[in-house]
Amino acid sequence: MSQEIEIEFKNLLTEEEYKRMLEELPFDPDESFDQTNYYFETEKLLLKQHGAALRIRQKGPGWTMTLKEPHPEGLLETHDEIDEYEANLWIRNEGHAQPNITKRLYDLGIDISDLRYLGSLSTRRREITYQETTVTLDYSRYFQTYDYELEIEAGSREQGLKVFRELLSGFSIPQRETKNKIQRFYEARGRSD
């Protein structure tokens, strides 16, 4: 099964903080990529009740379906690679079973026929490898909202937290309670209804 534990630290940024980090860290100003997350949930919010989230991410020509679930070390991510045709079926609420995710959903008591497409979130992403972590700066757009975010992904909590704290301190950025993208998406969706 295609699974991994995601260990990450997040902090929302102001536009000025984002631009300063972009200029002062070793990002290539010409290297960024766009990705779009398409989110799914049941009418009874069964995924949310389990602390889980389901998305399809389009990144370049690739499409990946990911189920995120709570895990003691971070988030357990289960993946299935799909093609554009299958992604569009899911967006039309006609998706087919996928080998890894359908099994995990079944374990949670969720039938794929109950899942509904909710909307999308688009991100312009920049990444660098920095002190044995991946440092990411995101500019995301969803509904009538946009935000800037710092993400640190690491192989261990200790290394990720060390780099996270050093960067925030070095740039005089306060640590902010930062919800993940799906939570921010849900909040914005609620305001737009």
Side-chain angles (χ1 to χ4, degrees):
M1 184 176 290
S2 177
Q3 292 184 313
E4 64 183 336
I5 305 298
E6 180 182 61
I7 300 170
E8 67 180 10
F9 301 87
K10 299 171 173 284
N11 205 71
L12 284 174
L13 303 172
T14 65
E15 183 177 5
E16 185 274 327
E17 291 165 345
Y18 171 87
K19 287 180 177 176
R20 196 160 33 96
M21 292 188 89
L22 193 58
E23 290 170 6
E24 295 180 28
L25 289 171
F27 288 97
D28 182 332
D30 298 323
E31 282 193 27
S32 67
F33 57 89
D34 293 326
Q35 62 187 35
T36 301
N37 292 343
Y38 301 88
Y39 293 112
F40 301 85
E41 178 58 279
T42 68
E43 286 185 22
K44 295 181 180 179
L45 304 177
L46 295 176
L47 287 167
K48 189 175 182 181
Q49 289 174 28
H50 289 284
L54 180 64
R55 72 161 189 238
I56 293 174
R57 175 173 284 171
Q58 177 189 9
K59 185 173 166 182
W63 298 80
T64 304
M65 180 176 266
T66 300
L67 176 66
K68 293 188 174 205
E69 301 172 78
H71 186 277
E73 295 295 316
L75 289 173
L76 174 65
E77 292 188 340
T78 303
H79 306 287
D80 281 303
E81 298 301 319
I82 61 174
D83 60 22
E84 184 175 2
Y85 176 78
E86 184 65 29
N88 285 316
L89 286 176
W90 275 87
I91 291 167
R92 292 194 318 260
N93 299 316
E94 300 170 1
H96 299 119
Q98 299 302 311
N100 300 316
I101 288 175
T102 303
K103 180 186 180 321
R104 292 295 311 141
L105 290 170
Y106 178 81
D107 292 344
L108 295 174
I110 298 172
D111 189 294
I112 65 167
S113 65
D114 293 331
L115 292 164
R116 297 291 172 261
Y117 170 66
L118 299 179
S120 65
L121 179 149
S122 297
T123 300
R124 163 95 14 110
R125 174 165 278 191
R126 292 176 168 87
E127 291 181 346
I128 56 169
T129 301
Y130 183 82
Q131 296 183 17
E132 301 174 35
T133 68
T134 300
V135 174
T136 303
L137 290 178
D138 285 345
Y139 167 63
S140 297
R141 301 163 315 282
Y142 46 105
F143 297 103
Q144 307 304 315
T145 303
Y146 67 92
D147 62 41
Y148 301 91
E149 180 182 33
L150 166 68
E151 279 188 14
I152 309 294
E153 287 194 29
S156 73
R157 289 193 65 73
E158 298 75 23
Q159 182 63 17
L161 190 56
K162 175 182 174 284
V163 171
F164 182 67
R165 287 179 173 158
E166 285 177 5
L167 285 174
L168 292 180
S169 174
F171 282 89
S172 301
I173 296 171
Q175 186 171 343
R176 299 178 178 104
E177 183 180 335
T178 300
K179 296 176 181 174
N180 63 33
K181 283 182 177 68
I182 185 87
Q183 292 168 318
R184 298 193 315 262
F185 170 87
Y186 276 127
E187 288 177 1
R189 184 174 188 262
R191 289 190 302 269
S192 74
D193 287 344

